[in-house]
Amino acid sequence: MIAIITGASAGLGMEFAKQLPQQFPEIDTLWLIARRISLLEELAEQLSGVQVRCIGMDLCNPRSFKELSELLAAEHPQVGLLVNNAGCGTLGNLGEVSSDTQMRMIDLNVRAVTLMVNTVLSYMPGGSRIINVSSIASFCPNPRMTVYSASKAYISSFTGGLADELKPKGISVTAVCPGPMDTEFLDVAKIRGNSKTFKALPYCDPAKVVAGTLQAAKRGRTFYTPKAFYKFYRVVAKILPMKWMIPAART
């Protein structure tokens, strides 16, 4: 049985690859997907007790899903776990960030997640699990990261509906909604040093986020939010009018 992890070259994706074999011993093979295959190969050398296949793919390129579909059809594996971790974000107002950058966020955070599930689902037997990496940004629109927060709201909504659809098949779906983490995402998104909000927020530990997410997936939970602070924020965002929350959520 295999697990497929997207965005596995760094951050949470790398941590999922490290922790998954111990948490799910029935998984004997990892398919790691990312653009930077050299980093995947370095990660593969660190993993033991599990076979690893490194797949270099840019999930913003529609051709990648044709290639993945062909690979699945050729090998017909049983996919016990799909981790949709690949994603990106950028700090900046609309009109100030290039259209290409905004569209890449939508392609990777929305389109790719949807296509991954649609491509892999027929290879997932009962008892399988899907994990979608969302964010606390899904709880409320975040000015200066408007497209990013909207895309993560899609992932959370997508997860909720998909979980209900797949319940009769015995497949669980979990969205993890972490707060900021000290990963390369902060630098790629140009957040580090440019956001007072991110500087003030409590940070999540990637290793603890992944450990909690895998446990939540085992229990069949649909949503998992690390840290009491962000659990409280999620509740508040549901109760208070959005027009009150948006200024407070400005990044």
Side-chain angles (χ1 to χ4, degrees), residues 49-70:
V50 65
Q51 297 181 54
V52 180
R53 170 174 285 186
C54 299
I55 304 173
M57 285 184 177
D58 180 356
L59 297 182
C60 288
N61 185 342
R63 183 178 178 81
S64 294
F65 292 95
K66 184 175 184 297
E67 293 172 1
L68 179 61
S69 181
E70 291 172 351

Side-chain angles (χ1 to χ4, degrees), residues 197-219:
T197 301
F198 271 82
K199 189 175 181 179
L201 289 172
Y203 275 47
C204 295
D205 181 310
K208 291 181 179 179
V209 169
V210 168
T213 302
L214 292 176
Q215 286 300 312
K218 280 185 176 182
R219 297 187 186 109

Side-chain angles (χ1 to χ4, degrees), residues 219-236:
R219 297 187 186 109
R221 291 177 57 184
T222 305
F223 296 100
Y224 169 63
T225 304
K227 280 190 174 292
F229 179 87
Y230 296 118
K231 289 180 172 67
F232 176 72
Y233 172 54
R234 183 179 178 186
V235 172
V236 170

Side-chain angles (χ1 to χ4, degrees), residues 83-110:
V83 180
N84 285 308
N85 170 72
C88 63
T90 299
L91 184 69
N93 296 330
L94 263 78
E96 298 173 2
V97 176
S98 73
S99 294
D100 286 346
T101 299
Q102 302 286 23
M103 288 304 100
R104 182 170 181 81
M105 264 190 284
I106 294 170
D107 281 346
L108 191 55
N109 297 0
V110 175

Side-chain angles (χ1 to χ4, degrees), residues 35-52:
R35 288 180 301 160
R36 299 174 294 182
I37 195 166
S38 61
L39 294 182
L40 294 180
E41 291 169 347
E42 289 178 15
L43 173 59
E45 292 178 0
Q46 302 172 34
L47 303 175
S48 59
V50 65
Q51 297 181 54
V52 180

Side-chain angles (χ1 to χ4, degrees), residues 4-250:
I4 300 175
I5 306 173
T6 69
S9 60
L12 282 186
M14 181 181 291
E15 196 61 43
F16 272 113
K18 291 178 178 178
Q19 292 191 33
L20 202 150
Q22 184 177 358
Q23 295 275 7
F24 290 87
E26 67 272 21
I27 300 291
D28 55 34
T29 304
L30 300 181
W31 286 15
L32 306 181
I33 297 176
R35 288 180 301 160
R36 299 174 294 182
I37 195 166
S38 61
L39 294 182
L40 294 180
E41 291 169 347
E42 289 178 15
L43 173 59
E45 292 178 0
Q46 302 172 34
L47 303 175
S48 59
V50 65
Q51 297 181 54
V52 180
R53 170 174 285 186
C54 299
I55 304 173
M57 285 184 177
D58 180 356
L59 297 182
C60 288
N61 185 342
R63 183 178 178 81
S64 294
F65 292 95
K66 184 175 184 297
E67 293 172 1
L68 179 61
S69 181
E70 291 172 351
L71 181 59
L72 289 165
E75 303 207 3
H76 212 84
Q78 281 197 319
V79 182
L81 181 64
L82 169 63
V83 180
N84 285 308
N85 170 72
C88 63
T90 299
L91 184 69
N93 296 330
L94 263 78
E96 298 173 2
V97 176
S98 73
S99 294
D100 286 346
T101 299
Q102 302 286 23
M103 288 304 100
R104 182 170 181 81
M105 264 190 284
I106 294 170
D107 281 346
L108 191 55
N109 297 0
V110 175
R111 183 176 170 277
V113 170
T114 308
L115 287 177
M116 279 299 300
V117 172
N118 212 44
T119 301
V120 175
L121 194 54
S122 61
Y123 298 91
M124 303 187 77
S128 299
R129 297 168 176 88
I130 297 171
I131 294 173
N132 297 323
V133 177
S134 186
S135 167
I136 60 164
S138 69
F139 303 159
C140 173
N142 296 167
R144 295 184 75 211
M145 293 190 79
T146 297
V147 173
Y148 177 77
S149 61
S151 70
K152 290 300 183 178
Y154 172 87
I155 291 176
S156 290
S157 179
F158 175 70
T159 298
L162 186 63
D164 190 72
E165 286 184 12
L166 297 183
K167 189 180 295 183
K169 297 182 179 181
I171 299 173
S172 70
V173 190
T174 302
V176 55
C177 302
M181 293 170 284
D182 192 8
T183 66
E184 67 173 20
F185 174 86
L186 296 180
D187 299 308
V188 174
K190 300 179 182 178
I191 291 170
R192 200 185 302 273
N194 295 314
S195 171
K196 293 180 180 178
T197 301
F198 271 82
K199 189 175 181 179
L201 289 172
Y203 275 47
C204 295
D205 181 310
K208 291 181 179 179
V209 169
V210 168
T213 302
L214 292 176
Q215 286 300 312
K218 280 185 176 182
R219 297 187 186 109
R221 291 177 57 184
T222 305
F223 296 100
Y224 169 63
T225 304
K227 280 190 174 292
F229 179 87
Y230 296 118
K231 289 180 172 67
F232 176 72
Y233 172 54
R234 183 179 178 186
V235 172
V236 170
K238 287 182 177 180
I239 295 173
L240 295 182
M242 188 178 289
K243 66 178 181 179
W244 293 1
M245 290 297 302
I246 289 174
R250 186 184 303 276

